[in-house]
Amino acid sequence: MTDTATDGPAGGPLHPATVTGFRRAWRDLAPVGRAASSGGYHRFAWTPADLTLREWFAAEAADRGLDVTADRAGNQWAWWGDPDADGPGVVTGSHLDSVPGGGAFDGPLGVVSAFVALDELRARGVRPIRPLGIVCFTEEEGARFGVACAGSRLLTGVLDPDRARGLRDGDGTSLADALRSVGRAPEHLGADPAALARVGAFVELHVEQGRGLVHSGDPVGVGRLIWPHGRWRVELRGRGDHAGTAPLGDRQDPMLDLAALVLAVRAAAEDAAALATVGKVRVDPNGVNAIPSRVTAWLDVRASSPGPVRAVLDRLGHYDPTEESWTAATVLDADLADEVAVALGGVGLASPRLGTGAGHDAGILAAAGVPTSMLFVRNPTGISHDPAEDADEADCLVGVGALTAALTRLVTAGAS
Ligand code: GLV
Ligand code: MN
Ligand code: MN
């Protein structure tokens, strides 16, 4: 992050303590799960890095006098006010987990901004008439157990808890065992209608994963829709043998099938105007001098509408792909987006509307009927899921100002 913060002409000015709080939180999080060699983050659900992040979240909440609860999916909630007595409330937040070798901003920017926006509301003397919640969703990236947005899917009941308990990571550890190993009861996993009912509206701030705001020249934007997307697994079987003795003509080498699959995916995506990626493979036994006996490949397909996604899958039908997750297209609440835009206009910010091909817990909540909006912060590289993901500190603080403005409007709506 380039350290260029000023008080900011738009979205602010923020109280100096808010800016200090943002910098401190960012500094505290920076080393957690960071690989020294690449600078990429490895923050996977229920690993030591994740437990450190959970403790960080609880400590930030405690510093502000907020109690933390975990719902039946393991998502963490901190409430200012009592959503059971005075709710439903307004919730903001995001996630702290990462993809393998991920960037610093995807997720953490929304959680840090949530805490410091609450500080700014308090510093300004805002008196909410609706409770304000801060949430950190578990396993948003699905990097460990394969299902994206697992925490919000469990919460809302779209991920069956039996299926969730049986999900396995790359080492074969089930989610149930991972939970047991950190002292949590897997039997507790499940939908949590009571936790969900506390959420009257959700606003997720997120780094932009693209260059829409670079092109429009705006530091922040407002989400319009989330593309439909899915993940599939393809098993390619062969026959293991010795790299130095098996004649080429005798081999059954699934690596050749993988090469053909990757090219077929690319061609199908180009023809259908979709995005399709083979970003993860497992090779058994993965030895330099061994012909593999089996290759497993994972496929991610997205498009602005479901048709092209289905067209890609139809072209790959002979590979018999197994669906691991599917998220329908989500149009975010237009009325709430208008409310957010009015709030941004009040602090001198434009509200370009952005669609995104990235998945978000916001989409899962929106699909569950929660009025949901997203705020995006400009990313000069446009890159995400990589250490090159970036945002200038000045833009992050404009984002905090924008979130503060939106929350002020939402938590005081109806107050005279
Ligand atoms: C998560 O960021 C995803 O889009 O897969
Ligand atoms: Mn992500
Ligand atoms: Mn994210």
Side-chain angles (χ1 to χ4, degrees):
M1 184 187 314
T2 314
D3 186 359
T4 55
T6 64
D7 280 350
L14 301 173
H15 282 76
T18 304
V19 176
T20 308
F22 179 87
R23 289 181 176 151
R24 184 192 45 73
W26 207 254
R27 238 187 356 258
D28 290 350
L29 288 178
V32 183
R34 186 169 187 269
S37 50
S38 65
Y41 286 94
H42 297 260
R43 295 167 166 169
F44 310 139
W46 309 114
T47 62
D50 185 49
L51 299 183
T52 302
L53 294 165
R54 287 172 179 278
E55 283 167 16
W56 174 86
F57 184 94
E60 291 293 309
D63 281 353
R64 293 165 173 86
L66 313 176
D67 289 334
V68 173
T69 55
D71 63 27
R72 292 189 57 199
N75 307 306
Q76 291 177 291
W77 303 81
W79 281 99
W80 180 22
D82 182 350
D84 293 322
D86 305 318
V90 176
V91 175
T92 186
S94 190
H95 62 97
L96 291 173
D97 66 311
S98 77
V99 297
F105 295 84
D106 177 0
L109 185 60
V111 180
V112 169
S113 299
F115 279 117
V116 296
L118 181 140
D119 296 341
E120 184 64 24
L121 287 171
R122 286 175 165 175
R124 292 179 188 181
V126 172
R127 297 193 175 282
I129 59 168
R130 300 172 76 187
L132 176 64
I134 297 178
V135 66
C136 180
F137 286 107
T138 297
E139 178 81 328
E140 191 269 355
E141 301 288 7
R144 182 166 181 195
F145 292 104
V147 175
C149 300
S152 54
R153 284 183 204 269
L154 271 164
L155 166 74
T156 54
V158 296
L159 174 58
D160 176 72
D162 281 334
R163 179 178 167 220
R165 280 185 278 269
L167 292 170
R168 289 185 187 274
D169 69 10
D171 295 329
T173 304
S174 68
L175 175 56
D177 284 342
L179 287 168
R180 274 187 211 102
S181 73
V182 298
R184 302 206 173 219
E187 308 71 49
H188 191 62
L189 218 54
D192 198 331
L196 187 59
R198 297 181 188 119
V199 189
F202 179 53
V203 181
E204 179 171 1
L205 180 147
H206 205 279
V207 70
E208 194 194 356
Q209 298 165 294
R211 285 168 57 85
L213 293 171
V214 172
H215 294 313
S216 73
D218 297 291
V220 296
V222 176
R224 189 169 51 80
L225 71 92
I226 301 176
W227 285 13
H229 62 269
R231 294 179 182 188
W232 288 264
R233 192 182 71 248
V234 174
E235 301 288 355
L236 304 166
R237 290 172 196 280
R239 191 183 62 222
D241 208 333
H242 192 295
T245 59
L248 292 180
D250 286 352
R251 297 185 182 192
Q252 292 172 28
D253 184 350
M255 206 62 113
L256 297 178
D257 299 325
L258 174 68
L261 170 70
V262 172
L263 294 174
V265 167
R266 174 69 183 223
E270 281 173 1
D271 289 350
L275 296 177
T277 308
V278 180
K280 176 176 168 180
V281 296
R282 189 175 60 215
V283 179
D284 291 320
N286 207 23
V288 68
N289 54 356
I291 298 161
S293 56
R294 171 176 162 166
V295 173
T296 308
W298 281 266
L299 177 63
D300 179 306
V301 190
R302 314 180 187 212
S304 57
S305 63
V309 177
R310 292 293 164 200
V312 170
L313 264 295
D314 287 349
R315 280 267 292 272
L316 302 170
H318 55 293
Y319 285 103
D320 198 18
T322 302
E323 186 173 295
E324 293 203 330
S325 69
W326 169 250
T327 310
T330 312
V331 179
L332 297 171
D333 191 291
D335 293 339
L336 185 57
D338 288 346
E339 288 282 310
V340 169
V342 168
L344 267 55
V347 292
L349 291 169
S351 311
R353 305 289 169 106
L354 302 169
T356 176
H360 299 285
D361 296 302
I364 305 297
L365 264 62
V370 176
T372 293
S373 191
M374 291 196 74
L375 279 171
F376 290 107
V377 172
R378 177 166 51 193
N379 173 351
T381 66
I383 292 172
S384 189
H385 289 183
D386 183 272
E389 182 181 275
D390 199 11
D392 287 350
E393 190 188 73
D395 285 353
C396 293
L397 293 174
V398 172
V400 171
L403 182 61
T404 304
L407 295 175
T408 302
R409 187 171 175 89
L410 297 175
V411 298
T412 60
S416 52

